[in-house]
Amino acid sequence: MLNLSLQSLSLGLEKKTFSSQELTKFYLERIKRHNTSLNAFISIDEDKSLLMAKKSDELIAEGRPSPLTGIPIAQKDIFCAQGWPATCGSKMLENFIAPYDATVIEKFNAAGAVNIGKTNMDEFAMGSSNETSYFGPVKNPWNLELVPGGSSGGSAAAVAARLAPAATGTDTGGSIRQPASLCGFTGLKPTYGLVSRYGMIAFASSLDQAGPMAISAEDCALMMNVMTGHDKRDSTSVERDKEDYMSQLNGSIKGLKIGIPKEFFSQGLDPSVQTLVESAIEQYKNLGAEIIEISLPNNHLAIPVYYVIAPAEASSNLSRYDGVRYGYRTKEYDDLMDMYFKTRQEGFGNEVKRRILIGTYVLSAGYYDAYYLKAQKIRRLISEDFTNAFKKCDVIMGPSAPSVAFKAGEKKEDPLAMYMQDIYTISTNLAGLPAMSIPAGFTNNLPVGLQLIGNYFSEAKLLNIAHSYQQHTDWHLQSAKGFD
Amino acid sequence: MDWDIVIGIETHVQLRTKSKQFSGASIEYGNEPNSQACLVSLAYPGVLPVLNHESVNCAIKFGLAVNAEIAPRSIFARKNYFYPDLPKGYQISQFELPIVGQGILSINVNGQNKNVRILRAHLEEDAGKSSHGVSQGKTGIDLNRAGTPLLEIVTEPDMSSAEEAVAYSKKLHELVQWIGICDGNMQEGSFRCDVNVSVKKKGTDILGTRREIKNLNSFKFIKQAIDYEVNWQIETLEDGGKIDQATILFNPETGETKAMRSKEEANDYRYFPDPDLLPLLVTQKQINEIKQTMPKLPGEFQELFEKELGLSEYDASEITSNSNVTKYFLSLVDSGVNPKLSANWILGSLFSRLNEEDINISHSPIDAKRLAELIKRIEDSTISNNAAKKVFDFVWDKSDITIDKAIEDLGLKQISDSGEIDQLIDEVLKNNQAMIEEYRSGKEKAFNALVGQIMKVSKGKANPSQVNEILKKKITK
């Protein structure tokens, strides 16, 4: 049951082997049993979930199900879902109940999926270990002393421990792929603009992108069919015909040109991770792919550029949390300024404050050109690296993260070490490209992810490349022990 | 010492769209506070701005009207600052690349034409309103206005007197209404001016330090504020003082200006391109399409009226000073009335009566159709011009009486029967043999005196040109 694909679950529902209410109860029970140790969910609402399941059962009974009807999906707490809390992992929004649905939520609702709960995350999606959440850290199901990665750590732990068949995440610098790597499942960050950002609480608007987190590429494809599509409420959402991401899944990968950037295998990469990534690439070679060495000469600039652009946008995006209209407001204050200072001092955690400070600094008069403008120029160079690379290859492969899951607390006080976690993922956000992380084996009982980076809008192809691998391996089907 | 005054103006023009700049909420004025505050106006977590393209069309119209370049690509930027009536903590505006570039608006002060250079015009959104002291120690926030589309029009410091500043503001106020992008309602804040004032010693090129008078919403206040500010600046400098750059407010009750905040306390707005909005692209095709829908502009009408209809420069300029006046004039001319006569009537009797009673020409008790009827009676010699003025005053507040009936009731019908005029002339000539002799001996004045006599006897009703004609025949031998 726990490793059933979304399609199998759908079939079970359609054949009435089990009902959506039974399935929902099954997962709610699992959440109740294991959330205390994992802290993957911030809010669960059995009544709401079961009501949705009941409606889905009615749809199925009426013979009008769509592929995700009746299937429980865990939603990252960054999405607004009407009537549910949307905390974004922050004290600032601890008591905020969303009055509307994000487009992504609306699409899952329309498909008849069941919201099984809102998952824990780094505060405002700022973090790579899920330790910045106001609601406490999330544990890695493979080893409770380790972090699950971040910022979509709650969704990651939920999928890895099978507390939900699938989950949503968002990825601004690696927040889907790095936790997918550290927790051993499949995650996809789509091309920027493919999934609407409306109702997704903004961190860095030019980088944020929502995507699926699930067991397999096939499950991700099914979720992509629901999540994507033009949305006129998001001006950066792209207008293009909707694709069927399932349609290319069984295509051949013979002759596929895989680009291996030498910059992804340099200093800082854990040797055991490197070995597994290399053997995964070797497997692709056995499946008929061709390996080409490529270069992304500006990749080393991705982290510094990201830590100018993302905080700049965040410092402005987070200005709305001022205690005036909703969210946290300090108890006692003398005047307006005092109210602002105390509200934001008490409402935001340290990592968020650190990034607001950096962002405010790089946008300030006298520093703008030297930081923000320069970062934008380098961002273009980083994109061009990829454009050049894709002239030579169809897909780029490498590690998703430099190491396996690390100990909680280990990097918490060392932001720079923490930021290095995203060294292989950030450049694709800066370029707006789609990328995946798929399970590629284990070292010391800890999962390692292989990253696949595609050209713009090549999600269907990427999913096929991942699926081909998963047809010949079972790394993705292995789940953390101890969560019966 | 002699001083030059240097004035530049930034005007916030509220655009006449149905909904807000970046959301679908209504921008109607005067509704229950926060009844038009949608999730975007309230800056809820996760909401995003979507550009209202109607406001873009308005900006393009303005650009065309001042002969400015329309940027094929312009950028929305965030202007960051904290204030309770600014829900996002930033205002979406345009900074480095505005939609409208440099243009020209020409003004006329005391018969002198002057070109005021427009530096730029950019799209932005309005903030909400704070009402201090709604209840004790509390401030109320109304976000109905938050997000209302504005076009901010910025001039070069080209004006050198309060009169020029007022003339520019009036001309701009008229223009934005003329092209239909603003309702012009200054009391409701649809047209607000920030006036930058500095003074410099006559003859030097070095500009003085400017102070910006914020939010002036009447032409009277613009004049008063500039006059006060200029005096204050000159006095300060002549007393050996120094002007600091500052933002100041004008108090209409005292007629004084006062500093709000100085430059040192000024915000660093941390402008940067808004990542939620794509660059605004405008095609030549779009500009051409809008051009097709544009009304003829005041300047074009003025030229037309002078060249085609023979109006004087002054009359043509007055007739095109306001679109409603132009409309009124055009419908007079359309009904076949002589253009010069039409202009005389509008600028004369009609204007003085409308001013007296403070009525807009679009609500004139005598509409163009009725005035045309009256003027036609002058043209067909039913009444004299003087008699027509009497009819005009008589029917002003009597909409139920026809022009012809009024002429009859007032007994003003002109005598145009040549037999009757013949008789009148003979009667007068009989008693004024001496004058006839004088005329015949070459004194032209005598002729006019005779005409006067005849008109008097006819009680002003005799058709003057007929009198002239017949009299001349009779006494010229």
Side-chain angles (χ1 to χ4, degrees):
Chain A
M1 180 84 178
L2 290 177
N3 270 340
L4 284 183
S5 69
L6 296 182
Q7 265 191 318
S8 310
L9 288 176
S10 185
L11 204 66
L13 287 163
E14 212 175 321
K15 286 191 171 158
K16 315 239 167 45
T17 315
F18 44 83
S19 69
S20 173
Q21 290 171 86
E22 282 164 347
L23 190 63
T24 302
K25 269 184 200 147
F26 172 77
Y27 280 105
L28 283 171
E29 282 305 318
R30 289 185 61 74
I31 292 170
K32 257 194 249 176
R33 215 157 42 238
H34 302 298
N35 197 47
T36 339
S37 61
L38 291 173
N39 198 24
F41 286 83
I42 290 176
S43 53
I44 310 158
D45 188 327
E46 288 192 25
D47 294 344
K48 274 204 177 67
S49 298
L50 287 170
L51 186 69
M52 289 175 94
K54 189 166 172 267
K55 281 186 187 156
S56 302
D57 281 333
E58 284 162 16
L59 274 177
I60 294 164
E62 289 161 17
R64 320 186 271 126
S66 50
L68 285 186
T69 305
I71 295 177
I73 306 281
Q75 301 288 357
K76 187 174 180 180
D77 210 25
I78 200 167
F79 293 104
C80 289
Q82 195 172 358
W84 291 75
T87 69
C88 221
S90 181
K91 179 181 181 181
M92 195 57 101
L93 292 174
E94 186 178 4
N95 298 311
F96 177 71
I97 306 291
Y100 75 106
D101 282 331
T103 300
V104 163
I105 296 290
E106 203 175 81
K107 284 174 178 289
F108 276 114
N109 289 348
V114 173
N115 183 348
I116 194 83
K118 306 288 299 289
T119 59
N120 203 343
M121 57 183 283
D122 276 302
E123 186 178 9
F124 285 104
M126 299 176 188
S128 305
S129 66
N130 222 298
E131 292 169 288
T132 71
S133 170
Y134 173 67
F135 301 91
V138 177
K139 305 292 165 57
N140 189 321
W142 293 92
N143 181 336
L144 295 178
E145 285 177 7
L146 308 182
V147 302
S151 68
S152 312
S155 286
V159 174
R162 308 294 190 252
L163 304 191
T168 55
T170 60
D171 190 318
T172 305
S175 287
I176 287 175
R177 291 160 289 160
Q178 183 253 14
S181 178
L182 270 49
C183 289
F185 60 91
T186 309
L188 165 63
K189 177 205 100 71
T191 306
Y192 181 81
L194 199 57
V195 176
S196 169
R197 292 186 297 114
Y198 181 76
M200 188 178 114
I201 299 175
F203 158 19
S205 313
S206 74
L207 301 159
D208 296 344
Q209 185 60 207
M213 300 171 82
I215 293 172
S216 66
E218 183 198 281
D219 287 357
C220 285
L222 206 60
M223 287 176 73
M224 282 292 282
N225 278 352
V226 171
M227 294 173 78
T228 56
H230 176 63
D231 181 8
K232 60 183 184 349
R233 293 172 297 190
D234 172 3
S235 309
T236 61
S237 142
V238 290
E239 276 184 79
R240 67 199 309 277
D241 291 339
K242 215 169 146 65
E243 266 183 83
D244 178 3
Y245 294 96
M246 300 290 281
S247 67
Q248 291 187 36
L249 278 188
N250 294 307
S252 161
I253 59 160
K254 278 222 162 54
L256 179 80
K257 288 182 189 157
I258 300 174
I260 308 295
K262 54 174 185 280
E263 292 82 1
F264 278 21
F265 295 87
S266 54
Q267 247 185 349
L269 178 62
D270 185 321
S272 59
V273 172
Q274 179 163 352
T275 307
L276 286 172
V277 168
E278 280 168 354
S279 71
I281 293 167
E282 195 58 32
Q283 176 116 27
Y284 270 106
K285 209 169 157 185
N286 295 338
L287 293 173
E290 190 188 327
I291 309 300
I292 295 161
E293 194 172 304
I294 58 157
S295 174
L296 299 170
N298 292 296
N299 191 68
H300 66 289
L301 296 172
I303 287 182
V305 162
Y306 177 88
Y307 279 98
V308 170
I309 293 172
E313 294 179 7
S315 70
S316 176
N317 283 333
L318 270 57
S319 293
R320 66 189 59 198
Y321 309 109
D322 57 5
V324 175
R325 298 166 312 285
Y326 52 76
Y328 179 76
R329 184 192 288 188
T330 188
K331 297 283 169 301
E332 281 175 38
Y333 46 90
D334 299 331
D335 56 18
L336 179 65
M337 276 301 147
D338 196 37
M339 193 278 277
Y340 279 157
F341 286 147
K342 284 184 179 154
T343 296
R344 290 169 66 84
Q345 212 161 54
E346 295 159 14
F348 288 136
N350 283 342
E351 184 59 27
V352 170
K353 281 185 222 168
R354 177 164 23 242
R355 298 199 195 189
I356 291 175
L357 284 175
I358 296 172
T360 305
Y361 181 82
V362 301
L363 290 176
S364 295
Y367 298 100
Y368 181 86
D369 289 4
Y371 291 102
Y372 184 80
L373 219 54
K374 196 165 201 176
Q376 290 291 12
K377 284 178 190 159
I378 301 173
R379 183 178 185 174
R380 267 192 295 278
L381 295 179
I382 290 170
S383 299
E384 282 165 19
D385 281 357
F386 282 107
T387 309
N388 292 332
F390 283 120
K391 283 175 189 158
K392 297 182 197 141
C393 62
D394 305 309
V395 64
I396 294 169
M397 286 189 194
S400 301
S403 67
V404 291
F406 49 92
K407 273 211 169 82
E410 189 182 305
K411 301 182 199 292
K412 207 182 166 194
E413 304 307 324
D414 186 355
L416 291 183
M418 186 73 88
Y419 296 169
M420 289 308 284
Q421 273 296 305
D422 297 327
I423 187 161
Y424 305 125
T425 48
I426 272 183
S427 52
T428 52
N429 293 83
L430 291 168
L433 292 164
M436 293 184 73
S437 178
I438 58 173
F442 290 82
T443 172
N444 289 329
N445 290 322
L446 292 174
V448 166
L450 171 74
Q451 188 178 201
L452 288 64
I453 303 169
N455 212 337
Y456 298 103
F457 305 112
S458 68
E459 284 80 359
K461 192 191 209 171
L462 269 186
L463 286 162
N464 171 39
I465 297 167
H467 183 68
S468 306
Y469 180 79
Q470 291 179 342
Q471 293 300 96
H472 296 89
T473 56
D474 65 355
W475 306 122
H476 63 291
L477 295 177
Q478 302 192 21
S479 62
K481 305 284 177 293
F483 299 97
D484 300 329
Chain B
M1 200 182 291
D2 278 343
W3 298 87
D4 280 333
I5 302 165
V6 180
I7 300 170
I9 300 183
E10 294 163 22
T11 310
H12 288 95
V13 171
Q14 182 180 316
L15 298 175
R16 223 172 142 176
T17 56
K18 286 195 184 70
S19 54
K20 293 189 177 178
Q21 186 71 290
F22 298 108
S23 77
S26 164
I27 59 165
E28 208 182 342
Y29 180 82
N31 290 330
E32 184 74 17
N34 296 312
S35 59
Q36 285 146 216
C38 63
L39 292 176
V40 172
S41 313
L42 284 160
Y44 259 61
V47 298
L48 294 170
V50 177
L51 179 63
N52 178 348
H53 283 277
E54 197 42 48
S55 75
V56 176
N57 292 342
C58 290
I60 294 173
K61 279 183 191 170
F62 176 76
L64 290 170
V66 295
N67 219 351
E69 197 199 328
I70 315 290
R73 179 173 177 276
S74 62
I75 302 282
F76 286 101
R78 294 185 183 178
K79 179 181 180 178
N80 295 282
Y81 66 96
F82 285 94
Y83 203 69
D85 61 23
L86 188 74
K88 294 189 293 298
Y90 58 85
Q91 177 197 30
I92 305 177
S93 180
Q94 295 189 301
F95 185 54
E96 277 180 343
L97 295 173
I99 180 164
V100 177
Q102 294 173 3
I104 294 281
L105 190 67
S106 64
I107 58 170
N108 187 297
V109 178
N110 302 327
Q112 290 286 327
N113 280 324
K114 179 169 188 174
N115 282 340
V116 175
R117 289 170 300 160
I118 306 285
L119 176 64
R120 58 183 280 164
H122 62 257
L123 287 166
E124 61 180 32
E125 55 175 350
D126 212 343
K129 270 183 198 164
S130 299
S131 316
H132 301 290
V134 176
S135 66
Q136 205 187 358
K138 288 190 176 170
T139 297
I141 311 286
D142 177 8
L143 296 176
N144 281 356
R145 201 182 64 183
T148 296
L150 300 176
L151 185 67
E152 181 174 336
I153 300 161
V154 184
T155 74
E156 295 281 4
D158 281 353
M159 288 149 283
S160 49
S161 68
E163 288 71 28
E164 286 184 5
V166 169
Y168 164 79
S169 308
K170 280 189 173 166
K171 190 73 184 271
L172 182 66
H173 183 244
E174 178 45 45
L175 180 66
V176 294
Q177 292 176 82
W178 186 295
I179 59 177
I181 66 169
C182 175
D183 68 13
N185 193 323
M186 295 178 81
Q187 265 163 358
E188 292 176 4
S190 299
F191 188 93
R192 323 192 285 266
C193 297
D194 297 343
V195 182
N196 285 285
V197 181
S198 66
V199 297
K200 64 179 174 70
K201 282 182 190 157
K202 229 179 189 59
T204 100
D205 288 334
I206 305 155
L207 290 172
T209 306
R210 68 189 157 90
R211 305 214 307 164
E212 182 181 13
I213 317 169
K214 279 277 182 199
N215 255 327
L216 296 167
N217 67 347
S218 94
F219 302 122
K220 201 174 105 191
F221 295 163
I222 292 174
K223 168 111 177 52
Q224 286 177 354
I226 295 174
D227 284 343
Y228 182 89
E229 178 63 20
V230 165
N231 271 330
W232 181 87
Q233 287 190 17
I234 292 174
E235 271 176 29
T236 303
L237 291 171
E238 288 186 345
D239 288 349
K242 179 174 155 280
I243 308 283
D244 291 323
Q245 194 171 337
T247 304
I248 57 185
L249 284 178
F250 172 71
N251 181 343
E253 273 156 38
T254 60
E256 293 173 0
T257 53
K258 202 178 161 202
M260 213 165 105
R261 51 173 188 257
S262 71
K263 187 68 187 168
E264 289 80 62
E265 304 164 51
N267 279 304
D268 175 358
Y269 291 119
R270 290 171 280 122
Y271 281 100
F272 75 105
D274 191 332
D276 286 333
L277 292 159
L278 300 176
L280 171 57
L281 304 179
V282 176
T283 62
Q284 192 56 46
K285 182 170 168 270
Q286 196 181 343
I287 296 172
N288 291 342
E289 276 167 15
I290 290 171
K291 211 179 253 173
Q292 301 295 316
T293 69
M294 291 271 287
K296 226 187 238 39
L297 295 170
E300 296 173 289
F301 270 120
Q302 184 173 344
E303 204 183 313
L304 187 83
F305 292 168
E306 284 176 44
K307 289 200 175 135
E308 306 284 322
L309 303 180
L311 297 195
S312 69
E313 190 191 337
Y314 176 82
D315 283 2
S317 143
E318 288 296 306
I319 290 291
T320 54
S321 68
N322 173 294
S323 61
N324 289 327
V325 176
T326 311
K327 269 183 215 151
Y328 195 103
F329 172 75
L330 284 173
S331 47
L332 278 184
V333 174
D334 281 349
S335 42
V337 181
N338 176 288
K340 274 182 167 170
L341 206 49
S342 299
N344 287 343
W345 271 87
I346 291 172
L347 302 177
S349 302
L350 184 66
F351 264 23
S352 73
R353 197 68 196 256
L354 290 172
N355 283 341
E356 225 167 81
E357 301 187 21
D358 197 20
I359 301 173
N360 187 296
I361 192 166
S362 57
H363 299 115
S364 169
I366 298 182
D367 62 13
K369 199 175 150 226
R370 207 157 152 80
L371 187 59
E373 278 173 38
L374 179 61
I375 299 175
K376 274 182 188 156
R377 289 293 168 261
I378 304 171
E379 289 182 322
D380 68 10
S381 301
T382 307
I383 50 174
S384 68
N385 205 54
N386 278 336
K389 283 178 185 161
K390 287 181 190 150
V391 177
F392 179 87
D393 284 330
F394 182 71
V395 299
W396 180 257
D397 49 9
K398 298 182 190 66
S399 59
D400 52 339
I401 194 163
T402 65
I403 296 291
D404 287 340
K405 180 85 171 27
I407 293 171
E408 220 170 292
D409 288 0
L410 292 171
L412 291 173
K413 201 160 186 177
Q414 196 161 250
I415 301 164
S416 302
D417 177 334
S418 51
E420 214 173 311
I421 292 174
D422 229 51
Q423 265 184 14
L424 280 167
I425 294 178
D426 286 345
E427 208 175 295
V428 171
L429 290 183
K430 208 161 53 188
N431 304 321
N432 287 287
Q433 276 302 323
M435 275 197 195
I436 299 172
E437 294 309 321
E438 267 180 51
Y439 172 72
R440 284 178 178 158
S441 68
K443 285 188 177 166
E444 283 287 330
K445 267 189 183 169
F447 185 81
N448 291 338
L450 281 169
V451 172
Q453 288 274 339
I454 296 160
M455 292 308 290
K456 200 174 159 190
V457 172
S458 78
K459 291 176 186 133
K461 289 193 276 185
N463 181 326
S465 59
Q466 268 178 301
V467 169
N468 269 301
E469 198 181 315
I470 299 170
L471 177 66
K472 200 158 266 180
K473 266 187 206 158
K474 281 187 191 280
I475 60 176
T476 311
K477 286 222 165 137

